Amino acid sequence: MNAAHSKSSSSLSRRVLSTGVLALACGAPALANGGVYLESNGLVVINFESRPTVGDWAFSNTTPNYSGDGYIRWDGPDLFGSPGTGGLFSYDIEISTPGTYTLNLRNRHEDPNPTEDNDVWIQLDGGVWEKVFSNGAASVGNWTWESRVELPNFTYPQQSYVLSAGVHTLAFSGRSNGFKMDRFHLALPGHPSEFDPGAPESECRIGTVYGVANPNSTGSIGQVEAFGSTLVARNDVTLHGSQLPQGSLGFFIVSNTQMFFAHPGGSTGNVLVGPTVGRYGGNVLFTNAQGRVSMSPSLTAIPRPSGPVATMPGDTWNFQFWHRDTNGGSPTSNFTRAVSITFE
């Protein structure tokens, strides 16, 4: 068996450049659960344990020298000719700096034969499934960044993608039983953190922004976004309000339902959460000179009229920012748009 191959290899057609780099424009697949990871300065970092495992993927922290909280391992059957059929999951990644990104998958396999139990199926933007593997002698029983792909001319480079600006979806599916994956980096060539297992995970934008809001005194419509993780156990959510008047007092409100109520109490804005509303009145905030505000709510104590409640997996919470404003020189109030987050 050629050392570049694992146990079995299906014949897959590919569209490649002369450099062996897969060229793909940003498609429009359905967004994956858990949010959109944001590229920054030519780097994307994602830890596999940041999402709940699916299918026969198992979380573990028994093999030493992993990064983060642990890694995932394919405990399902060998699926050499069946890409996309076992333990399918994906990540949405927003690229702001287009270019050729190298995929560095930190992986490990234990079989003494470096060509065994050494690969996973990966697909970009709904395209062709490809076998990504490590087979160097040093990859046996060690974490490695080796992430090769087989090209038609029998060369085996590190996998790379030409990524346009926009959102791309990278999907994974089980292939070889026992294969372990710790994290992956997408990096422009020469990035200083290209192979750094301690590089922090990329920022993740979560939730869905919704609703009709009215312009505030700046002439803009107030916006709200959420960043962090949809995993309840992580208790990691930060809310950001933007396009707001400078130095304006306000606070976030929250509900597990949505509504539309125009101009409550003479406000120039619209309530988009409720009708049962909790108020973060104890977290009164003032917008900064850029008209921005942020808060990190605790998922263990979501305010409700009857008292705070803890978030459970499957719960959906809707957040909106109320703030003081002026209208023609007269004092009033307004509301941003809202963001809805379903937690896992």
Side-chain angles (χ1 to χ4, degrees):
M1 180 184 296
N2 188 305
H5 294 265
S6 48
K7 288 181 181 176
S8 175
S9 175
S10 59
S11 176
L12 300 176
S13 61
R14 321 174 66 245
R15 181 164 55 90
V16 297
L17 303 177
S18 59
T19 57
V21 176
L22 181 62
L24 284 168
C26 183
L31 293 181
N33 292 330
V36 180
Y37 288 87
L38 307 182
E39 169 262 319
S40 178
N41 298 318
L43 180 69
V44 179
V45 175
I46 299 179
N47 292 314
F48 285 105
E49 73 273 15
S50 295
R51 299 277 179 83
T53 55
V54 299
D56 289 323
W57 289 103
F59 169 82
S60 180
N61 55 12
T62 58
T63 300
N65 299 320
Y66 55 81
S67 66
D69 299 324
Y71 57 91
I72 62 173
R73 181 187 62 245
W74 177 241
D75 286 350
D78 293 332
L79 297 172
F80 302 135
S82 304
T85 62
L88 174 63
F89 64 96
S90 61
Y91 298 93
D92 292 312
I93 299 163
E94 185 171 315
I95 298 295
S96 56
T97 310
T100 301
Y101 284 77
T102 301
L103 172 68
N104 299 311
L105 171 66
R106 194 167 192 258
N107 67 88
R108 178 170 173 151
H109 50 101
E110 309 297 338
D111 195 293
N113 184 341
T115 68
E116 301 291 336
D117 305 332
N118 66 333
D119 50 29
V120 66
W121 291 112
I122 300 181
Q123 178 199 59
L124 184 70
D125 291 341
V128 174
W129 283 98
E130 298 181 283
K131 176 188 70 176
V132 174
F133 60 92
S134 58
N135 67 350
S139 69
V140 175
N142 293 294
W143 292 107
T144 178
W145 291 103
E146 186 185 0
S147 315
R148 301 188 181 279
V149 65
E150 181 179 347
L151 300 186
N153 58 353
F154 300 104
T155 57
Y156 312 100
Q158 194 87 343
Q159 176 64 304
S160 295
Y161 302 105
V162 177
L163 299 179
S164 59
V167 177
H168 298 265
T169 300
L170 197 66
F172 295 79
S173 177
R175 192 176 194 277
S176 286
N177 178 268
F179 189 67
K180 302 172 184 178
M181 302 194 301
D182 180 37
R183 58 161 53 194
F184 71 89
H185 295 184
L186 286 168
L188 290 178
H191 194 284
S193 296
E194 187 174 10
F195 303 108
D196 179 8
E201 189 168 44
S202 297
E203 188 174 45
C204 184
R205 186 175 62 242
I206 60 177
T208 301
V209 176
Y210 72 91
V212 176
N214 296 327
N216 54 51
S217 57
T218 70
S220 298
I221 292 174
Q223 301 294 327
V224 63
E225 292 182 299
F227 296 86
S229 173
T230 57
L231 281 178
V232 172
R234 290 202 164 195
N235 195 16
D236 175 24
V237 175
T238 299
L239 302 172
H240 292 280
S242 62
Q243 298 183 191
L244 299 166
Q246 297 179 13
S248 178
L249 175 150
F251 53 79
F252 283 95
I253 59 176
V254 61
S255 180
N256 60 347
T257 54
Q258 301 178 7
M259 64 177 293
F260 180 85
F261 181 21
H263 313 305
S267 171
T268 57
N270 307 320
V271 176
L272 302 173
V273 304
T276 303
V277 177
R279 296 171 174 82
Y280 287 95
N283 296 86
V284 175
L285 305 168
F286 288 86
T287 60
N288 63 17
Q290 289 73 45
R292 298 184 62 86
V293 69
S294 65
M295 187 193 75
S296 297
S298 173
L299 298 182
T300 65
I302 301 292
R304 302 288 280 164
S306 57
V309 300
T311 302
M312 303 297 291
D315 287 350
T316 297
W317 292 108
N318 307 288
F319 300 89
Q320 190 178 17
F321 188 67
W322 170 90
H323 62 94
R324 289 182 177 170
D325 201 7
T326 58
N327 183 18
S330 300
T332 184
S333 66
N334 208 325
F335 295 83
T336 63
R337 300 188 71 197
V339 62
S340 180
I341 309 171
T342 298
F343 292 93
E344 302 171 284

